[in-house]
Amino acid sequence: MNKSSWQSRRRHGRRSHQQNPWFRLRDPEDRSDSQAAQSAQDSSHGDDESPSTSSGTAGASSVPELPGFYFDPEKKRYFRLLPGHNNCNPLTKESIRQKEMESKRLRLLEEEDKQKKIARMGFNASSMLRKSQLGFLNVTSYCHLAHELRLSCMERKKVQIRSLDPSALASDRFNLILADTNSDRLFTVNDVKVGGSKYGIINLQSLKTPTLKVFMHENLYFTNRKVNSVCWASLNHLDSHILLCLMGLAETPGCATLLPASLFVNSHPGIDRPGMLCSFRIPGAWSCAWSLNIQANNCFSTGLSRRVLLTNVVTGHRQSFGTNSDVLAQQFALMVPLLFNGCRSGEIFAIDLRCGNQGKGWKATCLLHDSAVTSVRILQDEQYLMASDMAGKIKLWDLRTTKCIRQYEGHVNEYAYLPLHVHEEEGILVAVGQDCYTRIWSLHDAHLLRTIPSPYPASKADIPSVAFSSRLGGSRGAPGLLMAVGQDLYCYSYS
């Protein structure tokens, strides 16, 4: 090889190095990336240091992400993400996310204990009163804003529960709570430690500040079957029974059970008589609803797989309506003979009870969500319907135009059955998300008024169950929110 050809090849090699980005001189950022990668490699071999549990995502956003590594902004180091098996204490993305969520929950709980947030910026008691005096606020708007202001000042207090069996209170865990129409009783489903469920009724008439003591009336009625749905039933009088839908187990078929409230406590002397359990063999019931409409008197509905079953308790007569999907939520209208149903397919339809189950003339209204509907609530004027689904969407529908007119943002749900609580007197909407946060919105403009963290660490087994009322404990009660989680019951009362 001669000298000229060797020099030309050398010049060509220099040009190719300049054109190839891998051979360019690295800037300071590239060098920091290299150091970060080297730091990650070094940290994977050391077992004497672990990442901080209070790390956040804000600090990690300015550093590059390395596959298989996690950057701790507090220690300013990379740590290897271990697989979720064959390790005693693996560091996984799920564990990191849970630690960050727990850190956020504890921080919010601390903030709530220190200072109360204002529901709307620029609104306080003095400014609202001044605007009302000047005529800028009518009576209805003033009352709604006053409720919002008091909601932001609700304080968490633990309720002391008394029972004839105090040892059971320390082990049984709340599954759900359901207040009756007058909010003077609370039906509870508790998971028993040895397996199965136990039912009880809490008398709320003694729920008075500052002591907050209640008594739980229990009955030795256990079931080892899952409770799919619960509602109060008015058979003898208002809220005289509890209607439960139980899943089948092995050779035992599913059923719908009418449980007399008098089996727990005689809360209506002279009216209640010792009742007996009344069970209807209804396999695979996902949801249930009791009718207060005079045209469907003494009737209840159950949502099954691809059909709706309407049952008359007195006569035993049944009507079956075929559907295209599983029915997960139901509610009867009061003024018109309609039964609204929410399906797994996302469809919401109404059944006209005046029509028979022959043909398709009974389907009156049809709305559509993008995911499985978990709750439907009809507003008092029965011109609007609130619905939530497993995509975390909460929508307000106008039944006259069959259009969505409002959405309530912030709800979290992926697969759980989570109910809605609509309270038009206070103008609020309450819902518990799958992230265990209780959120309260303004019913009128969908403004998120307050987000309440759970007193327990967030988990699938400890999603709180809540009940809100403007008169907790009866007609003389005060407004507030009851939250049952774990073995404890909390009261967020107006201060």
Side-chain angles (χ1 to χ4, degrees):
M1 181 183 298
N2 56 26
K3 183 176 180 181
S4 60
S5 61
W6 179 83
Q7 289 179 348
S8 63
R9 287 190 179 184
R10 186 178 180 183
R11 286 195 299 269
H12 177 73
R14 287 178 180 176
R15 286 195 300 269
S16 64
H17 287 182
Q18 292 174 357
Q19 293 172 0
N20 194 332
W22 291 102
F23 289 94
R24 292 175 184 171
L25 290 177
R26 293 187 177 182
D27 55 17
E29 288 183 320
D30 292 331
R31 288 195 295 271
S32 65
D33 292 354
S34 175
Q35 293 171 1
Q38 182 65 31
S39 168
Q41 184 176 0
D42 295 340
S43 63
S44 64
H45 297 289
D47 297 328
D48 58 338
E49 190 174 8
S50 61
S52 170
T53 59
S54 60
S55 60
T57 58
S61 60
S62 59
V63 297
E65 292 187 5
L66 296 180
F69 292 90
Y70 162 71
F71 182 80
D72 191 318
E74 185 174 314
K75 296 184 181 298
K76 297 182 179 179
R77 286 187 57 184
Y78 282 88
F79 292 87
R80 184 185 294 275
L81 287 173
L82 302 178
H85 59 279
N86 297 331
N87 291 282
C88 297
N89 187 22
L91 178 62
T92 62
K93 290 184 178 180
E94 181 66 22
S95 64
I96 293 171
R97 189 181 66 86
Q98 289 179 353
K99 290 178 181 178
E100 291 177 349
M101 290 178 60
E102 178 63 11
S103 176
K104 176 184 176 182
R105 185 189 70 87
L106 294 175
R107 186 180 72 253
L108 291 177
L109 281 176
E110 186 178 357
E111 291 177 358
E112 282 210 339
D113 293 337
K114 288 183 178 179
Q115 60 181 358
K116 305 304 171 187
K117 296 182 179 180
I118 302 301
R120 295 179 188 268
M121 295 299 296
F123 274 93
N124 52 44
S126 59
S127 65
M128 286 171 50
L129 182 60
R130 183 61 177 167
K131 290 182 179 181
S132 177
Q133 292 173 345
L134 294 175
F136 295 136
L137 291 175
N138 56 34
V139 177
T140 304
S141 299
Y142 177 79
C143 291
H144 287 161
L145 290 174
H147 276 296
E148 293 180 6
L149 185 63
R150 300 181 74 180
L151 279 171
S152 63
C153 299
M154 291 193 307
E155 297 181 355
R156 182 184 75 256
K157 295 180 181 179
K158 191 174 180 179
V159 179
Q160 182 180 349
I161 305 176
R162 296 176 296 170
S163 173
L164 296 177
D165 186 11
S167 61
L169 296 176
S171 59
D172 299 346
R173 304 176 66 86
F174 282 103
N175 188 322
L176 65 88
I177 59 175
L178 183 66
D180 65 355
T181 304
N182 295 325
S183 300
D184 55 3
R185 293 174 299 172
L186 199 68
F187 180 74
T188 67
V189 178
N190 295 71
D191 293 332
V192 184
K193 188 176 182 179
V194 296
S197 300
K198 182 169 62 175
Y199 309 140
I201 288 182
I202 295 178
N203 190 346
L204 298 178
Q205 294 178 354
S206 60
L207 187 67
K208 294 180 174 62
T209 55
T211 56
L212 294 178
K213 295 181 179 180
V214 295
F215 192 88
M216 176 179 283
H217 302 270
E218 297 175 321
N219 190 284
L220 298 178
Y221 181 74
F222 292 83
T223 176
N224 56 356
R225 291 181 288 177
K226 179 183 177 182
V227 179
N228 268 352
S229 183
V230 180
C231 69
W232 286 90
S234 303
L235 184 58
N236 299 335
H237 55 81
L238 183 64
D239 299 334
S240 62
H241 290 67
I242 302 101
L243 177 63
L244 302 99
C245 286
L246 305 177
M247 284 292 289
L249 179 66
E251 297 180 357
T252 305
C255 66
T257 300
L258 272 174
L259 193 62
S262 58
L263 292 179
F264 300 89
V265 55
N266 190 4
S267 57
H268 296 83
I271 300 178
D272 279 342
R273 296 184 300 273
M276 296 183 64
L277 296 178
C278 184
S279 294
F280 301 85
R281 184 171 178 175
I282 302 177
W286 294 103
S287 58
C288 64
W290 182 266
S291 172
L292 294 175
N293 192 296
I294 192 64
Q295 298 191 46
N297 196 26
N298 296 327
C299 290
F300 71 89
S301 175
T302 46
L304 312 177
S305 296
R306 297 183 179 274
R307 67 188 179 112
V308 174
L309 192 62
L310 186 65
T311 305
N312 189 302
V313 176
V314 178
T315 64
H317 180 260
R318 291 185 177 183
Q319 282 184 290
S320 180
F321 301 87
T323 66
N324 297 323
S325 180
D326 301 338
V327 179
L328 305 182
Q330 294 182 305
Q331 188 181 12
F332 283 92
L334 182 61
M335 295 185 291
V336 292
L338 294 177
L339 169 63
F340 287 88
N341 306 268
C343 299
R344 190 184 299 276
S345 63
E347 181 187 14
I348 302 173
F349 65 91
I351 296 177
D352 192 338
L353 303 177
R354 295 166 296 189
C355 304
N357 54 357
Q358 303 297 326
K360 292 294 183 180
W362 47 264
K363 185 173 283 190
T365 306
C366 186
L367 311 172
L368 191 61
H369 275 238
D370 295 330
S371 183
V373 177
T374 61
S375 182
V376 291
R377 287 292 175 264
I378 308 169
L379 273 61
Q380 290 179 359
D381 57 7
E382 299 190 357
Q383 295 180 356
Y384 301 93
L385 180 139
M386 189 82 67
S388 63
D389 59 32
M390 289 189 182
K393 301 295 184 182
I394 301 178
K395 298 182 179 182
L396 180 64
W397 294 89
D398 190 331
L399 296 177
R400 297 164 296 183
T401 61
T402 64
K403 292 183 178 180
C404 175
I405 60 174
R406 194 169 298 138
Q407 290 197 42
Y408 299 80
E409 303 294 339
H411 186 53
V412 177
N413 191 13
E414 294 178 357
Y415 55 82
Y417 174 79
L418 301 173
L420 292 176
H421 307 272
V422 180
H423 301 275
E424 295 186 64
E425 183 177 350
E426 295 81 13
I428 61 171
L429 168 68
V430 183
V432 180
Q434 198 172 327
D435 57 353
C436 298
Y437 285 86
T438 302
R439 294 174 175 86
I440 305 176
W441 294 267
S442 169
L443 194 61
H444 306 284
D445 60 3
H447 180 74
L448 182 60
L449 302 174
R450 186 170 178 181
T451 301
I452 303 175
S454 172
Y456 276 55
S459 68
K460 299 176 183 178
D462 286 323
I463 298 179
S465 180
V466 300
F468 183 91
S469 174
S470 58
R471 289 172 290 274
L472 280 177
S475 58
R476 297 184 179 181
L481 175 77
L482 289 175
M483 178 186 295
V485 55
Q487 292 97 0
D488 298 322
L489 180 66
Y490 297 90
C491 180
Y492 295 77
S493 59
Y494 280 13
S495 57

